[in-house]
Amino acid sequence: MHFQVRAITLDLDDTLWPFAPIGARVERVLHDWLLQHCPRTAEQFPIEAMRALREAVYVERPDLSHDFSQLRMLSLIRAMELSGDDPAHADAAFETFYAERNRVEFYPDSLAALERLAARVPLAAISNGNADLARIGVHHHFAFQLGAREHGTPKPAASIFHAACTQLAIAPGEVLHVGDDIEMDVVGAHRAGLRSCWINREGHTWPHELIRPDLEFTTLAALADWLDAAHQPDTAAA
């Protein structure tokens, strides 16, 4: 299938890099920091207990469901207060977490594919997570990054897709959204009027009958191949 694509919006976690290794690693690194600087907090809230506290804070603050960074900070402050440590340490603890959160390992095809895609059309990142493309070192491939925290509403809300299209100054129907998540990325983009591409690295079966992605690939490199082919001049009439 070929159609006009004037810009691409990209999900980040589990599209450009796997998130599971990051999620496991940041908890260990944060706990090690707490052991050194806030030992009472580390003792009262080892990794499992800290995770449970964080989930409780999430339930308490549904108004911050779009802001993982603020929820993480509130969880750290709560843990330190309950443990008798100085909550002033929360800023340094968060920075330790956030530096590790942005230490990503790209899928093998991602970096080369990003460069190829950016050479064809403008790229913008749309993410519910709190990755920082500047810290990661790939911001130069993107026109901008739009997070749920900055926008105020997460995917799959149509408004975050429309905000990206407005910033790109391109109509939704000419923007292709690319991501791994069936509901957040593909269904969300479809309902917002964008084209959609499902990056299905694990070979999952599509679950919906009435909504389907416009494109489906197992790698980002395959999308770059498709976009290259779509930009080749039509020589059929030559």
Side-chain angles (χ1 to χ4, degrees):
M1 178 188 294
H2 288 285
F3 46 84
Q4 185 176 28
V5 173
R6 294 183 57 206
I8 288 175
T9 56
L10 271 168
D11 176 56
L12 299 177
D13 291 326
D14 291 322
T15 297
L16 298 184
W17 54 74
F19 180 74
I22 302 170
R25 197 178 64 241
V26 295
E27 291 188 325
R28 295 195 304 270
V29 169
L30 179 57
H31 182 68
D32 288 345
W33 187 93
L34 291 170
L35 281 170
Q36 182 177 356
H37 300 280
C38 297
R40 285 176 292 190
T41 300
E43 180 181 1
Q44 185 168 341
F45 293 98
I47 290 174
E48 290 294 335
M50 182 67 80
R51 188 182 301 146
L53 176 64
R54 190 167 68 250
E55 290 172 357
V57 172
Y58 289 1
V59 171
E60 292 174 12
R61 296 298 305 270
D63 57 308
L64 294 176
S65 62
H66 62 287
D67 191 343
F68 291 146
S69 291
Q70 183 64 15
L71 288 168
R72 174 77 66 164
M73 177 66 81
L74 291 176
S75 300
L76 288 167
I77 292 172
R78 174 81 59 84
M80 291 172 186
E81 289 175 340
L82 291 173
S83 304
D85 282 323
D86 187 348
H89 288 297
D91 286 336
F94 179 84
E95 177 56 32
T96 297
F97 149 79
Y98 198 54
E100 193 67 23
R101 190 265 181 269
N102 285 295
R103 192 166 67 84
V104 308
E105 296 182 12
F106 289 88
Y107 290 114
D109 63 291
S110 290
L111 287 174
L114 268 180
E115 186 172 354
R116 293 171 61 195
L117 294 172
R120 291 292 188 185
V121 295
L123 304 183
I126 302 180
S127 177
N128 286 356
N130 56 359
D132 184 332
L133 292 177
R135 287 194 184 217
I136 292 168
V138 293
H139 61 289
H140 56 285
H141 291 307
F142 292 83
F144 60 87
Q145 176 177 359
L146 179 61
R149 179 183 188 183
E150 293 76 26
H151 178 66
T153 306
K155 295 179 296 183
S159 64
I160 193 168
F161 294 103
H162 292 163
C165 293
T166 297
Q167 195 163 339
L168 287 163
I170 298 175
E174 296 178 309
V175 176
L176 176 69
H177 180 69
V178 181
D180 71 289
D181 192 280
I182 291 169
E183 302 301 329
M184 300 294 179
D185 292 309
V186 180
V187 174
H190 173 86
R191 289 177 173 163
L194 284 71
R195 296 283 192 168
S196 62
C197 175
W198 185 27
I199 301 299
N200 181 17
R201 294 182 184 273
E202 304 299 324
H204 297 300
T205 300
W206 182 256
H208 298 295
E209 292 184 7
L210 299 181
I211 295 176
R212 294 199 62 85
D214 294 291
L215 300 170
E216 177 183 342
F217 299 113
T218 58
T219 65
L220 204 64
L223 171 61
D225 291 341
W226 179 90
L227 193 64
D228 284 345
H231 280 77
Q232 292 301 316
D234 186 357
T235 59

